[in-house]
Amino acid sequence: MKASQLLLSKGFLGRSMEELKRRTQIAVSFEAIKGASAPRPLYDFNTPETVRDCIRMSDRSIGGFSESNFDLITSDKSANDVSHSPSTKFSSSSASGAPSSYARFHGTISTRLPTSRPDVQRTGFAGFRTPDQRPTMFGRAVWDIDPYAYLALRIRSDGRAYLINVQTESVEPSDLHQHRLFAKRPGEWETVMVKWNDMVRTNHGFVVEPQTEMLRQRVLTVGIGLTDRTEGPFELCIERVWATNDPSEAEPTEHSDLGELRNRKGERIRW
């Protein structure tokens, strides 16, 4: 019997060894009993491959006219291309202190409806998510973030009403767990943290009732969406996302507890 190409690939074996190393570390450090002490990296947006593999979304998939782009920015571009881009709201001084490489999610939101699709009654959205995780010898790869209290994101926002989207293994594949991405200092790099338990289960943009607890042992992807339907340019830069138990990694953010998500009765929900 010949070994399959998947089993022979360096990527598959490398991912399997990393997963074995991670599980061994949990065992020898008694993390399952004591709880995790070190943060767990989930995704870094700092190489051409990690940025290229991410999934972009917009209403163009249903005939809309919003534009969504997801590009890698490196240190030699961050001070020139980004700060002087016509679509950005950032001043050149905001580029100081930027990471050496990161992803730039940008484009234009349009609420124009496609004349050829009378069934489409709502447009004006864009988003991205991390790619589907590749398998290991332990099976389908997932993120087990159960030992952690917070999701952390290193971002620079234009201040628009972005949503964090978390996908887990679920009976309903289209379910998401969402939370507003509250940026305290738009135009500057900052770390935003959200409690995993504060996320709200939704389906196709509506809050699902009754709510069920997130399956924290089986997280598949993390993404960001823009659904405020405000026409015009947008830009959000992101360096990395990780799970942590240390709330001091970010300052508390003051914001209204009234969210943008609604239930099927049209009532706005509170975080």
Side-chain angles (χ1 to χ4, degrees):
M1 180 182 294
K2 293 183 179 180
S4 67
Q5 183 176 0
L6 178 62
L7 290 175
L8 289 174
S9 68
K10 182 178 179 181
F12 177 82
L13 294 177
R15 292 191 302 273
S16 299
M17 291 303 297
E18 288 179 358
E19 179 63 12
L20 177 60
K21 186 185 300 183
R22 187 186 71 83
R23 296 187 182 200
T24 302
Q25 177 62 28
I26 292 175
V28 299
S29 62
F30 299 102
E31 281 189 13
I33 300 174
K34 300 178 180 178
S37 56
R40 179 180 181 183
L42 299 181
Y43 202 85
D44 293 334
F45 303 86
N46 57 8
T47 68
E49 293 76 22
T50 57
V51 173
R52 180 198 62 210
D53 291 345
C54 288
I55 311 299
R56 287 186 297 116
M57 300 158 282
S58 76
D59 57 29
R60 291 196 174 222
S61 62
I62 57 172
F65 298 91
S66 297
E67 179 186 353
S68 172
N69 303 286
F70 199 65
D71 308 319
L72 175 68
I73 302 299
T74 54
S75 56
D76 60 334
K77 293 183 179 181
S78 59
N80 298 318
D81 297 352
V82 178
S83 61
H84 296 94
S85 168
S87 65
T88 184
K89 297 181 180 181
F90 306 141
S91 65
S92 58
S93 61
S94 67
S96 61
S100 59
S101 57
Y102 55 89
R104 178 183 174 226
F105 173 52
H106 63 104
T108 305
I109 294 296
S110 171
T111 57
R112 178 182 166 193
L113 295 175
T115 56
S116 60
R117 291 285 304 275
D119 58 309
V120 176
Q121 298 296 317
R122 186 181 180 88
T123 58
F125 64 86
F128 71 90
R129 67 169 176 84
T130 56
D132 297 330
Q133 298 186 57
R134 297 174 181 176
T136 71
M137 64 176 62
F138 298 97
R140 184 178 186 181
V142 294
W143 292 318
D144 179 3
I145 52 84
D146 195 45
Y148 300 93
Y150 301 94
L151 169 66
L153 308 92
R154 186 68 178 169
I155 58 105
R156 186 178 69 179
S157 173
D158 57 9
R160 293 187 63 158
Y162 296 94
L163 287 172
I164 302 169
N165 303 320
V166 175
Q167 180 188 20
T168 67
E169 284 191 348
S170 173
V171 175
E172 182 55 59
S174 55
D175 278 357
L176 292 173
H177 285 82
Q178 296 185 300
H179 196 284
R180 254 298 288 277
L181 177 59
F182 289 105
K184 189 174 183 179
R185 299 187 299 274
E188 299 179 18
W189 283 97
E190 60 182 308
T191 298
V192 175
M193 298 178 64
V194 172
K195 290 183 178 179
W196 293 105
N197 286 341
D198 285 349
M199 292 191 172
V200 177
R201 179 179 167 225
T202 67
N203 188 283
H204 294 292
F206 292 99
V207 176
V208 175
E209 297 292 352
Q211 285 286 300
T212 57
E213 187 176 353
M214 179 191 296
L215 190 58
R216 294 159 55 119
Q217 300 90 347
R218 309 292 293 179
V219 174
L220 300 176
T221 67
V222 174
I224 293 176
L226 182 59
T227 60
D228 62 2
R229 304 189 74 246
T230 301
E231 294 199 330
F234 66 87
E235 177 175 305
L236 180 134
C237 297
I238 182 166
E239 179 196 9
R240 60 193 178 102
V241 294
W242 68 100
T244 183
N245 284 321
D246 185 2
S248 67
E249 293 187 51
E251 297 177 4
T253 302
E254 297 179 2
H255 57 75
S256 167
D257 62 351
L258 193 62
E260 296 294 327
L261 295 174
R262 299 174 184 268
N263 60 26
R264 294 192 181 276
K265 295 180 181 179
E267 302 165 335
R268 296 173 69 185
I269 63 99
R270 294 182 181 273
W271 298 115

